[in-house]
Amino acid sequence: MAPRARTLGALTAIHDLRVGLISDTHGLLRPEAGAFLMGCDYIVHGGDVGGADILDDLAAIAPLIAVRGNNDTESWAARLPLTELVRVGDVFVYVIHNLEELDIDPAAAGVRVIVSGHSHKPMIEERDQVLYVNPGSSGPRRFKLPISVGEIIVSGSAVKARIVDLYAGRPDRRGPEPTLA
């Protein structure tokens, strides 16, 4: 049985629901990430937020679900849960920062999508009819990993996911960069 979930959207949505995915902002909400998230029905942040102001800025765009990452250690972060289970339309989405700390059997719990962060590596993978999505990092660049965000589109019980490299195809692909070691 699935843990208690918050319900987002009508039980039967009358249109597809667009859920923006962002993670590992580490205190930096890039304008490109904010622009990508405009028009989302909801936003999910996979942790390592880096500051309450990031949460406020994202919540001004769309209703926000966020979990605490391993670097979210200041007092403002105490209000963030370590995991979150939400129902988006007809789909259960489980949010956790570090996928290696997954504490449920998603298929047995009826979870269709797992959203995580932590690795800074964008990923979409389906295992046992569970879609695992890590939007990568949209904050300061780490190593040579892309700066990315993602989304899931929920249509009834069907889910599609995509990841967008915010600087792909641009001559200034690296963008203005603070970096993490």
Side-chain angles (χ1 to χ4, degrees):
M1 179 164 183
R4 184 165 170 77
R6 285 198 279 170
T7 300
L8 304 176
L11 292 180
T12 305
I14 56 173
H15 64 86
D16 292 350
L17 296 171
R18 179 176 177 238
V19 180
L21 308 177
I22 189 166
S23 189
D24 296 280
T25 47
H26 293 278
L28 173 63
L29 182 58
R30 295 171 183 271
E32 298 89 347
F36 175 82
L37 295 169
M38 289 293 178
C40 285
D41 295 294
Y42 306 99
I43 297 172
V44 171
H45 195 300
D48 278 355
V49 176
D53 57 327
I54 301 292
L55 297 173
D56 294 340
D57 291 346
L58 291 172
I61 296 171
L64 175 65
I65 298 297
V67 296
R68 186 172 357 130
N70 59 297
N71 289 302
D72 294 325
T73 58
E74 295 179 24
S75 60
W76 63 266
R79 65 183 167 127
L80 295 177
L82 293 173
T83 63
E84 185 75 74
L85 177 67
V86 294
R87 182 174 178 175
V88 179
D90 295 336
V91 173
F92 284 102
V93 177
Y94 192 76
V95 187
I96 186 167
H97 180 61
N98 184 348
L99 192 55
E100 292 181 10
E101 297 174 358
L102 187 63
D103 55 352
I104 65 166
D105 175 346
V111 170
R112 177 67 179 97
V113 181
I114 303 283
V115 175
S116 64
H118 187 63
S119 70
H120 293 225
K121 296 177 185 174
M123 174 199 69
I124 299 173
E125 181 179 310
E126 186 148 1
R127 291 181 265 160
D128 299 322
Q129 298 184 338
V130 176
L131 187 63
Y132 292 80
V133 184
N134 183 332
S137 172
S138 65
R141 183 175 299 281
R142 185 168 188 202
F143 310 115
K144 295 189 180 205
L145 295 170
I147 304 298
S148 58
V149 290
E151 70 181 359
I152 57 173
I153 305 297
V154 178
S155 180
S157 60
V159 180
K160 295 184 289 186
R162 78 176 177 129
I163 292 171
V164 174
D165 180 334
L166 294 174
Y167 294 107
R170 290 177 44 175
D172 64 339
R173 185 172 195 278
R174 289 190 52 87
E177 294 304 328
T179 58
L180 290 178

